[in-house]
Amino acid sequence: MASRLAIDGGPPLLTRADYQNWPVITQDERQLIQEVLDCGIVAGGTAPQVTALEREWREYVGAKYCLTTGSGTAALHMGLAAIDVGPGDEVLVPAYTFLATASSVMHQMAIPVFVDIDPVTYTLDPARLEAAVTPRTKAIMPVHIQGCPADMDPILELACRHGLYVIEDACQAHGAMYKGRMCGTLGIAGAFSLNNLKNLCGGEGGLFVTNDENVLKKGDLVRYFGDECDEVTSRQKYNASIMGYMYRNQELPAALARGQLRHLTAFNDTRIRNAEYLSRELRQIPGVIPPVCPPDCKHVYWFYAVRFDPQAAGVDVDPRRFRVAVEKALFLEGVLVGQWQTMPVPAQDVFQSMLGIGKRYPWAINEAQGIHYRYDPHDYPVAQMLCDTYTNVHSIHPPNGLALNERVVAAFRKVFDSLGTVLDHADDDIRPGFDGRLYGVG
Ligand SMILES: *Cc1c(COP(=O)(O)O)cnc(C)c1O
């Protein structure tokens, strides 16, 4: 006999206390942060912690150059500025990502052109790129979404054929690999985020990576006011040569990130073990579609997204309604599930209203030439399908292990054994999601 669902008044299978928070703080961070406090140097472009983090990260990913930044978004913007993406240029970005991929383009007064995603990996669909290229296209920004490597070979091939740059948004993909190569090192520049949610945590911050000396130099200028540095004295000249910003990081976040980096491989291994366990078990439940790791790739499971298919589950209901109903039932069983992005990025108000910067900038630049843009969510059916049908399962980050995930699987089974009752409660006022503390937010 199936046990009574929590959504139907039965006892939940899990409680919040069964979950452990991210990030995992170790003695390494305590020691490195103590070093900062003892030495008294708290900031600066050549300060010991940021310099060491830059060296350790470029060694970890096998890149020639690395700069620490104030955020992953800053690192993305530096990459675009360093390759001279400018007003009216177009940059191809996936329709399913975090807003910052697209907004970093707009920081350069350039125009994000969205391209739909692959229905299996949820990364930029290379087959749809060609049709989006115009004479104004300058760059492509693949995103290694939720730790899954984008299909880089065809993207790099197309970029080469059209003379475009590739800037990788690796903000969710620390340690992910594409055919033996580290994500973030395959394009002209790569950006990683160090924010509290990400696989490598500095609280806030980012890492800018490149193998190109000119991109490094320009990126460094963009990072710090465009101000030149005196070659003899290494002092700031207070004479900016280009438009720049203030995108530096500082010693305490760098020390935290360095401590975390010593554990990154082990932490990623835990994520992979948890995710592979979940996938093995959940794929046996009709109607549950686990995430896929593409062949010859290493997925690092920043988040773990499952989709639900009502037809495969044997119920006749709209897919979005089904996802919402299942999500609510799981949530009341104590499973921390919920959506991250709820809509394709081009469906967000800033694109629907085209209230970007000032009056319709950056779009107004090209509209003056008779070139018009539209952000119609219907143009991205796969991203929309994903947003209708997915939820994230928040039990894969360390220190959580198989004991928790076994109970998560049991809750999935319990819910899918009583789908009739689940659907009876589809309209209950329940709001799935996690509390901030789970990912170190105050
Ligand atoms: C987190 C994230 C960013 C931005 O990183 P911040 O450090 O928060 O600025 C950019 N792109 C993607 C895909 C991200 O997940």
Side-chain angles (χ1 to χ4, degrees):
M1 196 196 85
S3 51
R4 192 159 180 196
L5 293 179
I7 206 168
D8 194 34
L13 281 187
L14 293 105
T15 71
R16 175 64 177 85
D18 296 319
Y19 284 79
Q20 291 178 273
N21 299 336
W22 176 260
V24 181
I25 303 297
T26 74
Q27 265 322 104
D28 289 310
E29 291 85 306
R30 288 181 223 284
Q31 183 211 318
L32 288 159
I33 286 169
Q34 192 61 47
E35 274 177 30
V36 175
L37 301 175
D38 290 343
C39 115
I41 297 175
V42 293
T46 58
Q49 298 295 330
V50 294
T51 307
L53 177 58
E54 287 167 357
R55 186 187 64 244
E56 288 161 6
W57 188 247
R58 66 178 188 252
E59 284 169 3
Y60 191 87
V61 295
K64 258 192 182 156
Y65 309 109
C66 173
L67 296 170
T68 50
T69 65
S71 68
T73 309
L76 288 170
H77 183 194
M78 281 159 54
L80 291 160
I83 57 166
D84 286 330
V85 165
D89 288 340
E90 293 171 1
V91 177
L92 307 183
V93 299
Y96 179 78
T97 178
F98 179 60
L99 173 71
T101 318
S103 58
S104 65
V105 173
M106 288 157 69
H107 291 334
Q108 281 300 102
M109 279 289 176
I111 295 163
V113 171
F114 294 97
V115 175
D116 210 356
I117 55 169
D118 178 89
V120 176
T121 63
Y122 316 139
T123 60
L124 189 58
D125 185 349
R128 296 174 192 259
L129 277 174
E130 189 95 50
V133 174
T134 76
R136 298 168 297 281
T137 311
K138 194 82 180 257
I140 309 172
M141 294 172 87
V143 181
H144 307 296
I145 200 79
Q146 304 208 340
C148 180
D151 194 4
M152 293 301 291
D153 279 346
I155 294 171
L156 290 165
E157 186 274 324
L158 179 131
C160 187
R161 196 149 36 80
H162 289 277
L164 309 175
Y165 289 110
V166 172
I167 294 187
E168 289 172 85
D169 183 339
C171 284
Q172 306 179 353
H174 315 72
M177 293 180 90
Y178 179 78
K179 301 189 180 174
R181 292 168 293 166
M182 277 282 182
C183 291
T185 66
L186 302 170
I188 186 81
F192 297 87
S193 169
L194 297 176
N195 83 24
N196 53 288
L197 290 95
K198 302 295 165 63
N199 288 29
L200 182 64
C201 173
E204 299 278 12
L207 295 160
F208 171 86
V209 161
T210 185
N211 290 322
D212 184 299
E213 198 184 344
N214 291 323
V215 169
L216 168 79
K217 285 185 175 156
K218 184 96 185 271
D220 201 14
L221 274 181
V222 172
R223 183 174 69 146
Y224 201 60
F225 303 107
D227 202 348
E228 297 285 345
C229 189
D230 189 284
E231 276 169 27
V232 180
T233 63
S234 315
R235 288 184 199 134
Q236 197 178 338
K237 280 189 181 169
Y238 296 101
N239 179 15
S241 57
I242 61 165
M243 176 68 191
Y245 302 83
M246 174 41 193
Y247 283 166
R248 270 190 186 166
N249 208 322
Q250 36 153 339
E251 291 294 89
L252 288 167
L256 178 53
R258 286 185 68 207
Q260 291 279 299
L261 177 53
R262 293 181 188 170
H263 302 271
L264 176 61
T265 303
F267 287 164
N268 278 347
D269 286 348
T270 299
R271 288 175 187 270
I272 292 166
R273 195 164 52 245
N274 286 336
E276 288 181 348
Y277 167 77
L278 279 183
S279 294
R280 214 161 44 239
E281 298 296 324
L282 296 182
R283 83 163 55 91
Q284 294 169 31
I285 303 173
V288 181
I289 305 164
V292 167
C293 176
D296 305 320
C297 287
K298 181 175 178 180
H299 190 321
V300 291
Y301 298 100
W302 171 58
F303 275 176
Y304 182 91
V306 291
R307 290 202 301 108
F308 302 121
D309 176 357
Q311 212 180 338
V315 289
D316 183 19
V317 55
D318 167 70
R320 186 177 182 92
R321 185 170 172 79
F322 183 61
R323 183 264 300 170
V324 169
V326 170
E327 223 173 21
K328 288 177 178 178
L330 286 168
F331 189 62
L332 283 212
E333 293 300 335
V335 182
L336 295 183
V337 290
Q339 290 203 312
W340 175 61
Q341 301 301 302
T342 60
M343 62 182 105
V345 179
Q348 292 193 32
D349 286 349
V350 62
F351 298 107
Q352 291 303 300
S353 67
M354 286 185 156
L355 290 176
I357 304 167
K359 274 196 182 155
R360 280 181 86 83
Y361 284 90
W363 303 284
I365 298 163
N366 289 348
E367 282 174 346
Q369 259 77 60
I371 297 154
H372 293 277
Y373 294 89
R374 63 168 209 173
Y375 294 109
D376 183 346
H378 295 104
D379 291 342
Y380 316 98
V382 182
Q384 186 60 59
M385 175 282 293
L386 175 62
C387 292
D388 286 339
T389 59
Y390 92 96
T391 197
N392 283 327
V393 183
H394 295 282
S395 51
I396 61 156
H397 66 259
N400 299 300
L402 293 184
L404 173 64
N405 284 291
E406 280 167 11
R407 299 172 63 195
V408 168
V409 169
F412 268 80
R413 292 224 172 89
K414 185 180 173 192
V415 164
F416 275 79
D417 277 347
S418 302
L419 286 179
T421 311
V422 169
L423 291 170
D424 288 343
H425 291 273
D427 296 315
D428 288 11
D429 186 17
I430 300 160
R431 289 142 204 260
F434 57 85
D435 61 89
R437 260 211 86 201
L438 188 67
Y439 291 99
V441 188

